[in-house]
Amino acid sequence: MNIHEHQAKELFRRYGVPVPNGGVAFTVEEAVGVAERLMSPVTVVKAQIHAGGRGKGGGVKLARSLDEVRAHAQALLGMTLVTPQTGPKGRVVKRLLVEEGCEIARELYVALVLDRATGKLVVMASTEGGVDIEAVAARTPEKIQRAYAPVMYGLQAYQARQLAFGLKLEGPAVNQAVALLLGISRLFVEQDASQVEINPLVVTKDNRLLALDAKINFDDNALYRRGEIAALRDPNEEDPKEAEAAQAGLSYIKLDGGIGCLVNGAGLAMATMDVIKYYGGEPANFLDVGGGANKDQVTTAFKIILSDPHVKAILVNIFGGIMRCDTIAEGVTAAVREVGLKVPLVVRLSGTKAAEGRAIVAQSGLSLISAETLDEGAKKVVALAKGGRA
């Protein structure tokens, strides 16, 4: 789950991470009111959407008077902000962060994620802040420092000091960096985060550290025990289909292709999409119905897939482990009858009660196409999506 920058900065404050003074605004008058309270010679007005690259898209403005704050707020609120991360459709700006400006001497980069290869936390730090870290990693990987720490204990003070020195900090800024790094480590562990990123982390001209930006993502699977964090969710920033799927207990992500996928298990879903691409097709979605989907969930899944006008064919790929194939076959046929199907549907069932499941599909009287293997199913659905025969 993502949260807004202003929400992330409130969490930063709780963990001792220095951030500029500021406040959130939902209207032009609220934005002007925040600026009046700040009384800063330079005020920054920042669009709040769940995407990076806002500055490049025109979503970050500097103001040197209240009139300029008002003008920027009027221009930003309600605009569709397009950034490299939003795609061409962009996101509508519905809230702003208004905060004091500062005099920047240097821009740094700091982030904390879980390294799945080692099973540890990894803190990444670089002197190359304020730019795309992917470009730094590709062109000058030696400029990215890394420190690994067990999830149970988090980053240690000596590691934080090593990173601070690697960032070429001096004097009081070293101790500030140590406190900051230990703070984001505690935040990550205590709040079940999946990513914490500060880009840029700036050194001001009076040698203070400030987190000028803040990005925090959280593990969806831990939200049941993090009610305060779950309450920060902004449904306006989520794809309506993804939100509907989540409400039904499904995992759905829209993609750009024309082959709808309905699969049980995230790993199998990834493999299914890989095989579809191998045979020249493009998946229209990732959709994992999980291990215990019922008829209602399968029906919802079909409705979501079919609501995408780009879908030309659908592949159902089920491995019956905990889930019995005859149960899923009954759900699929019932859902097809209820929803109505206007595109070809290939059904591949394997595992527990697979033969019974295939019999239900064959005897349904519906125009469903069976496949015994994933390879066969992928070939058929790609051919159908291209207007050919299975």
Side-chain angles (χ1 to χ4, degrees), residues 46-63:
K46 306 177 78 174
Q48 298 293 281
I49 60 171
H50 287 179
R54 290 167 295 160
K56 295 178 182 177
V60 179
K61 303 291 186 181
L62 298 181

Side-chain angles (χ1 to χ4, degrees), residues 159-311:
Q159 294 175 300
R161 290 188 70 81
Q162 289 174 343
L163 291 169
F165 289 131
L167 291 171
K168 300 178 182 179
L169 296 172
E170 298 176 348
V174 173
N175 289 336
Q176 292 176 43
V178 170
L180 181 150
L181 291 166
L182 295 178
I184 64 172
S185 175
R186 289 196 307 274
L187 188 161
F188 190 99
V189 173
E190 293 176 7
Q191 301 297 339
D192 291 308
S194 57
Q195 177 185 8
V196 176
E197 182 181 65
I198 306 173
N199 187 27
L201 169 65
V202 301
V203 184
T204 64
K205 290 188 176 179
D206 57 356
N207 206 30
R208 293 181 299 120
L209 291 185
L210 278 177
L212 235 57
D213 197 7
K215 180 178 182 179
I216 308 178
N217 296 344
F218 296 93
D219 184 350
D220 288 343
N221 295 314
L223 291 178
Y224 74 94
R225 63 186 182 191
R226 299 283 173 238
E228 183 182 2
I229 298 299
L232 300 178
R233 183 187 294 273
D234 182 0
N236 293 318
E237 290 293 315
E238 299 177 358
D239 184 292
K241 296 175 188 174
E242 293 180 13
E244 180 185 358
Q247 193 72 24
L250 308 170
S251 297
Y252 172 85
I253 298 173
K254 187 184 181 312
L255 302 174
D256 296 328
I259 298 177
C261 303
L262 191 157
V263 189
N264 67 325
L268 184 59
M270 296 296 290
T272 301
M273 293 190 294
D274 285 344
V275 178
I276 287 172
K277 288 181 70 70
Y278 179 79
Y279 285 111
E282 290 292 336
N285 63 269
F286 169 100
L287 200 160
D288 172 17
V289 298
N294 55 37
K295 174 195 165 185
D296 290 340
Q297 288 175 305
V298 174
T299 301
T300 299
F302 270 108
K303 287 179 178 177
I304 292 172
I305 292 173
L306 291 170
S307 68
D308 183 350
H310 298 104
V311 169

Side-chain angles (χ1 to χ4, degrees), residues 287-364:
L287 200 160
D288 172 17
V289 298
N294 55 37
K295 174 195 165 185
D296 290 340
Q297 288 175 305
V298 174
T299 301
T300 299
F302 270 108
K303 287 179 178 177
I304 292 172
I305 292 173
L306 291 170
S307 68
D308 183 350
H310 298 104
V311 169
K312 306 300 181 187
I314 300 173
L315 174 60
V316 173
N317 183 26
I318 299 296
F319 178 79
I322 299 172
M323 162 101 44
R324 287 172 32 174
C325 289
D326 57 346
T327 300
I328 199 72
E330 290 171 354
V332 168
T333 54
V336 169
R337 289 190 178 98
E338 180 177 337
V339 174
L341 198 61
K342 297 181 181 178
V343 297
L345 173 62
V346 178
V347 181
R348 181 256 180 168
L349 302 172
S350 179
T352 306
K353 298 285 185 178
E356 291 84 345
R358 285 195 286 269
I360 291 170
V361 170
Q363 297 165 14
S364 66

Side-chain angles (χ1 to χ4, degrees), residues 31-208:
V32 174
V34 173
E36 284 181 318
R37 292 193 297 273
L38 292 174
M39 298 179 61
S40 175
V42 177
T43 304
V44 186
V45 184
K46 306 177 78 174
Q48 298 293 281
I49 60 171
H50 287 179
R54 290 167 295 160
K56 295 178 182 177
V60 179
K61 303 291 186 181
L62 298 181
R64 290 175 172 80
S65 69
L66 292 180
D67 286 340
E68 288 189 1
V69 171
R70 182 182 300 276
H72 291 325
Q74 287 174 336
L76 289 173
L77 283 170
M79 78 174 288
T80 299
L81 181 58
V82 178
T83 80
Q85 294 185 17
T86 64
K89 292 184 178 179
R91 299 272 180 84
V92 177
V93 178
K94 297 186 177 181
R95 62 179 82 182
L96 305 171
L97 173 59
V98 180
E99 59 185 17
E100 62 185 4
C102 66
E103 294 186 315
I104 300 171
R106 294 172 57 207
E107 295 188 346
L108 311 173
Y109 175 91
V110 170
L112 176 58
V113 295
L114 178 66
D115 180 62
R116 297 187 182 278
T118 63
K120 294 182 177 181
L121 305 181
V122 56
V123 180
M124 296 176 288
S126 176
T127 55
E128 304 299 305
V131 298
D132 294 330
I133 195 63
E134 294 84 358
V136 177
R139 297 170 188 167
T140 53
E142 70 278 2
K143 292 186 177 181
I144 300 177
Q145 306 177 74
R146 292 176 174 83
Y148 295 85
V151 176
M152 182 178 295
Y153 303 110
L155 193 71
Q156 298 301 296
Y158 78 91
Q159 294 175 300
R161 290 188 70 81
Q162 289 174 343
L163 291 169
F165 289 131
L167 291 171
K168 300 178 182 179
L169 296 172
E170 298 176 348
V174 173
N175 289 336
Q176 292 176 43
V178 170
L180 181 150
L181 291 166
L182 295 178
I184 64 172
S185 175
R186 289 196 307 274
L187 188 161
F188 190 99
V189 173
E190 293 176 7
Q191 301 297 339
D192 291 308
S194 57
Q195 177 185 8
V196 176
E197 182 181 65
I198 306 173
N199 187 27
L201 169 65
V202 301
V203 184
T204 64
K205 290 188 176 179
D206 57 356
N207 206 30
R208 293 181 299 120

